[in-house]
Amino acid sequence: MSPGNGVETDTINIRLDPPDKAGSHEHIRTKSPLARKVNRSPNMPGPSNPFLFVNETSKSPSYKVGYRPDVRSHIRKHVARGLNKRKHSHGEQQVELASGEAGMQLMGNSTGVYDPQSSPTLYCKACGSYVNSSFSQSPPTNEYHMHTRNQMWRALLRLSPREVLGSGRIDPFLTSAETPDATTHELMDLAVNYLIPGLMPDDHPNRSLSLTSTSSRTWVSAAFELPCLFNAMLVACSLERDFLRNSTVEIESSFILSKKLLVIQKLNEFISDPKNAARDEVLLTILILASHEAVDAKEEPNKPFNSPLKTMQWLNMYGNCTYAPTHMKALYDIVNSRGGLEVIKLPCMAEMIVLGDTISALNTFSKPTFAPIRVHEAYIALAMEWAKTSPHLPSQVLATSFSRYSEYGISEPLLEILEPLGVTTWAISYHLQGRPAGLTIGEMGRTRTALMKRLLLLPTAEELRVEIGIDVAPLPLPNLYECCRITAFIFSVAVTFPIPNTFDVLQHYVQLLKAAIEDSDVMSCDNVMVSEIMLWILTLGGIAALDKPERVWFVEQLSRAKEKLNISWYDATRVFETYLWLESACGAGGLLLWEESKALVSME
């Protein structure tokens, strides 16, 4: 009896009979809230049911923690069911459950509830290689390390990451026609609780954390009825699991390839009936296949910006995804044959198509295939209203200076992107500081996607001249339209829409920005207002040019702009905040660029 708490504690002894030494025993001592002796055969598969853990987290006021008669009765029933399934007549293995130390590593596979014969996937702690469940001698990675056959070696092995990601949880009510196994249960658990809610997070600030998201419920329910969608989800979740474990994805693994073939087979069977070809579930299946043809989640080693919210909507994994043209055309034809994105009824399905289309267009420097959707435009309006009316916020200054440059080519369509981009940046900063009454993750994610879509659809200065037949600004003044449009791309990739590997994208826009500045001859203008906005443009362009050939040119031009304004770094950041700036993301890279420009001036 432990003093003061009125709960009995016993000592647990676990005696295991190794197959090669029937007469010798090894012991492990640990503690547990309850004690019970269980007789088992040494030939009975240990990992299936080594321990029975009892949940004592009831909030009922009448519940008595550690009330032993009830728990013992539950244990007896559980053990009796196991004994009825596994009749044996071998020697006895004695297990006494009781209170002891919590550091014991002898654990069973939690998936044994639905498959008593399964055993855990184990990896050697010494070399990290796989050791199969029969503990046969597997090839060691080091000649000085061998895998022993002794059953007590289980205590020195670590479980598969499956027990960490997904927690080995199962769905006892799984109704899919597919045969459920440990991997299927684990991957569907990832889909319900991680993948789908992460891609399309709910935007309700007071939603209970215990509730499954709307998109998860509807997508998974649809997958249970449609084998092609079910297997497509297994493909996506398997790659997501690999990414969570190793930050890499194995597109060419045998599991992924076999599942993709199965998806195509089941999809062809399903759409052989013309009535099924235009269903939302078919669109979702095609989108999943298209999104996982080329997934590059590698980050460049030296990032110029410290981007926030990189994992929101799984941009850290899918941010560099590009679609094969054939898949995008098939998706576009099906959507158009049904009347467009607005008629899709599956929750968040239209948003997913727009998000994927936006990411692909950003990485291929092309125009998006699909037009914006009304729901996204509503989120931009919501963000703008939040910035004006929230009583908890200080005065908003981000992006307020752009309206002064209408005579320099900053048109109304460009302002409709730059000003909401400033509000979104403000909302991100508010979220990072943990302040209340801000936009939710779902609202920020949808707003930034809508703004990136607008920016991608915005015509270039050359397109305006060709299509409209006029210049974008009066001739006597420098034209800043193209410079601000390109800088908005750089800032979006750095702060509001951060993709995992920015090198190629930023290289493209840095080259365009350098050409636009040279073509506009804006650096010859001595106007203070022009010099201020050029200081911001050159700073963001110079940060993005890190490790690129254009870096030296931006440092030189920044030195000229600084000389005109005679400004310090602290005062410069105050100016930047009236355009587009986030100190936590841009400050370190900007200060490094500023010091380089100082060094250049001192050398001259």
Side-chain angles (χ1 to χ4, degrees):
M1 181 79 68
S2 60
N5 58 12
V7 178
E8 293 185 16
T9 59
D10 301 320
T11 300
I12 84 154
N13 293 315
I14 300 180
R15 188 182 68 196
L16 299 176
D17 293 339
D20 53 344
K21 294 183 181 181
S24 62
H25 307 287
E26 302 185 34
H27 301 272
I28 296 178
R29 294 175 61 85
T30 186
K31 287 194 175 184
S32 166
L34 304 169
R36 184 67 185 166
K37 287 187 178 181
V38 180
N39 292 332
R40 298 181 51 140
S41 165
N43 295 326
M44 185 184 301
S48 302
N49 263 322
F51 300 110
L52 180 65
F53 293 93
V54 179
N55 184 1
E56 292 193 305
T57 59
S58 174
K59 297 181 180 179
S60 172
S62 60
Y63 182 78
K64 298 180 179 179
V65 178
Y67 188 56
R68 299 174 67 83
D70 287 346
V71 180
R72 280 177 170 168
S73 175
H74 179 66
I75 293 175
R76 281 196 295 270
K77 291 178 182 178
H78 183 84
V79 173
R81 286 196 298 268
L83 291 176
N84 289 335
K85 292 180 181 179
R86 299 185 290 266
K87 300 292 184 181
H88 60 276
S89 58
H90 300 286
E92 184 176 87
Q93 175 178 328
Q94 191 176 65
V95 179
E96 297 178 18
L97 299 177
S99 212
E101 298 180 17
M104 183 175 178
Q105 298 186 39
L106 183 60
M107 299 175 62
N109 188 354
S110 57
T111 58
V113 175
Y114 64 87
D115 184 8
Q117 299 302 321
S118 67
S119 58
T121 304
L122 298 172
Y123 294 82
C124 178
K125 272 190 174 179
C127 68
S129 61
Y130 168 72
V131 182
N132 62 28
S133 57
S134 62
F135 288 88
S136 60
Q137 191 76 15
S138 55
T141 59
N142 189 315
E143 62 179 347
Y144 299 106
H145 168 66
M146 299 295 291
H147 303 143
T148 178
R149 294 177 58 87
N150 193 322
Q151 289 191 20
M152 283 307 299
W153 185 246
R154 293 176 186 272
L156 301 178
L157 298 174
R158 56 185 171 92
L159 290 174
S160 160
R162 178 175 63 188
E163 297 299 325
V164 178
L165 299 176
S167 303
R169 283 176 286 186
I170 66 168
D171 179 8
F173 306 105
L174 185 62
T175 57
S176 170
E178 302 293 325
T179 303
D181 55 15
T183 301
T184 299
H185 282 289
E186 177 198 359
L187 294 179
M188 292 310 295
D189 176 67
L190 286 173
V192 172
N193 295 294
Y194 296 95
L195 179 60
I196 302 174
L199 284 171
M200 287 291 124
D202 283 347
D203 56 4
H204 307 296
N206 297 321
R207 186 182 72 85
S208 172
L209 295 177
S210 63
L211 296 178
T212 306
S213 69
T214 303
S215 51
S216 289
R217 291 196 300 270
T218 53
W219 290 18
V220 173
S221 297
F224 287 159
E225 299 176 0
L226 197 61
C228 61
L229 178 56
F230 183 83
N231 285 282
M233 281 193 179
L234 294 183
V235 170
C237 293
S238 178
L239 293 174
E240 178 211 32
R241 181 184 59 180
D242 292 342
F243 177 75
L244 289 174
R245 289 176 177 174
N246 309 310
S247 296
T248 58
V249 289
E250 298 294 336
I251 297 291
E252 302 296 329
S253 69
S254 57
F255 178 84
I256 297 299
L257 294 177
S258 63
K259 284 296 180 183
K260 282 185 177 180
L261 290 175
L262 186 59
V263 171
I264 295 172
Q265 175 189 349
K266 296 293 185 182
L267 182 60
N268 288 332
E269 292 175 0
F270 186 70
I271 63 177
S272 60
D273 184 352
K275 296 180 181 179
N276 296 329
R279 286 183 56 176
D280 291 350
E281 293 83 355
V282 172
L283 285 176
L284 183 55
T285 304
I286 295 174
L287 180 64
I288 293 175
L289 280 179
S291 301
H292 296 89
E293 282 296 319
V295 180
D296 183 9
K298 295 180 181 178
E299 296 189 20
E300 71 265 41
N302 194 14
K303 297 180 74 70
F305 297 96
N306 183 24
S307 305
L309 303 181
K310 293 180 287 187
T311 62
M312 187 166 67
Q313 293 182 300
W314 289 99
L315 275 189
N316 57 328
M317 177 175 174
Y318 294 105
N320 288 116
C321 176
T322 56
Y323 290 127
T326 53
H327 289 156
M328 184 54 67
K329 184 179 185 305
L331 195 63
Y332 182 77
D333 291 342
I334 294 176
V335 170
N336 281 348
S337 66
R338 299 188 55 199
L341 293 172
E342 304 292 347
V343 301
I344 295 177
K345 297 180 180 179
L346 195 65
C348 300
M349 181 64 208
E351 295 179 56
M352 273 297 303
I353 294 176
V354 170
L355 177 62
D357 183 30
T358 301
I359 292 173
S360 183
L362 176 63
N363 284 278
T364 56
F365 317 115
S366 60
K367 298 293 184 183
T369 304
F370 293 93
I373 54 178
R374 287 194 299 268
V375 64
H376 276 176
E377 297 301 311
Y379 278 102
I380 295 178
L382 173 68
M384 298 299 289
E385 187 66 21
W386 167 79
K388 295 176 182 177
T389 60
S390 180
H392 305 287
L393 302 179
S395 176
Q396 179 354 40
V397 297
L398 278 167
T400 54
S401 291
F402 290 114
S403 59
R404 299 185 296 152
Y405 294 87
S406 57
E407 295 182 351
Y408 294 87
I410 307 299
S411 61
E412 193 64 28
L414 182 56
L415 274 179
E416 291 177 353
I417 296 172
L418 296 175
E419 290 179 348
L421 202 55
V423 170
T424 305
T425 305
W426 190 20
I428 291 173
S429 176
Y430 215 70
H431 173 80
L432 295 176
Q433 295 175 47
R435 295 185 179 183
L439 296 181
T440 65
I441 289 292
E443 290 167 344
M444 286 188 290
R446 289 167 172 85
T447 303
R448 73 178 187 179
T449 301
L451 289 173
M452 180 55 75
K453 171 75 77 172
R454 276 188 184 182
L455 188 56
L456 287 164
L457 291 171
L458 192 69
T460 66
E462 182 63 28
E463 289 171 344
L464 285 177
R465 281 191 286 267
V466 172
E467 296 177 9
I468 303 178
I470 60 173
D471 283 333
V472 296
L475 292 176
L477 297 175
N479 182 0
L480 297 175
Y481 174 88
E482 188 68 1
C483 295
C484 289
R485 185 189 73 87
I486 297 170
T487 308
F489 270 109
I490 293 174
F491 183 80
S492 298
V493 171
V495 177
T496 60
F497 205 86
I499 57 178
N501 194 327
T502 62
F503 189 89
D504 291 338
V505 174
L506 290 181
Q507 175 74 75
H508 174 77
Y509 287 114
V510 162
Q511 291 174 349
L512 291 180
L513 181 58
K514 179 177 179 291
I517 294 173
E518 292 176 334
D519 291 344
S520 65
D521 196 27
V522 66
M523 293 303 297
S524 62
C525 181
D526 292 330
N527 186 298
V528 173
M529 194 168 69
V530 173
S531 297
E532 285 183 350
I533 195 171
M534 286 308 300
L535 187 71
W536 167 73
I537 290 172
L538 290 168
T539 300
L540 283 179
I543 298 172
L546 182 68
D547 297 333
K548 300 174 180 66
E550 295 78 12
R551 176 80 167 193
V552 175
W553 184 87
F554 276 97
V555 170
E556 293 174 352
Q557 302 307 313
L558 181 62
S559 300
R560 291 177 57 189
K562 285 169 52 182
E563 186 178 354
K564 289 180 182 180
L565 294 172
N566 191 22
I567 192 171
S568 67
W569 170 250
Y570 176 81
D571 293 334
T573 57
R574 303 285 77 81
V575 173
F576 298 157
E577 287 174 354
T578 64
Y579 298 102
L580 291 173
W581 188 260
L582 183 63
E583 182 63 26
S584 62
C586 311
L591 185 58
L592 178 63
L593 179 72
W594 201 267
E595 295 299 326
E596 288 184 25
S597 69
K598 278 186 179 180
L600 180 64
V601 171
S602 63
M603 289 175 61
E604 294 176 350

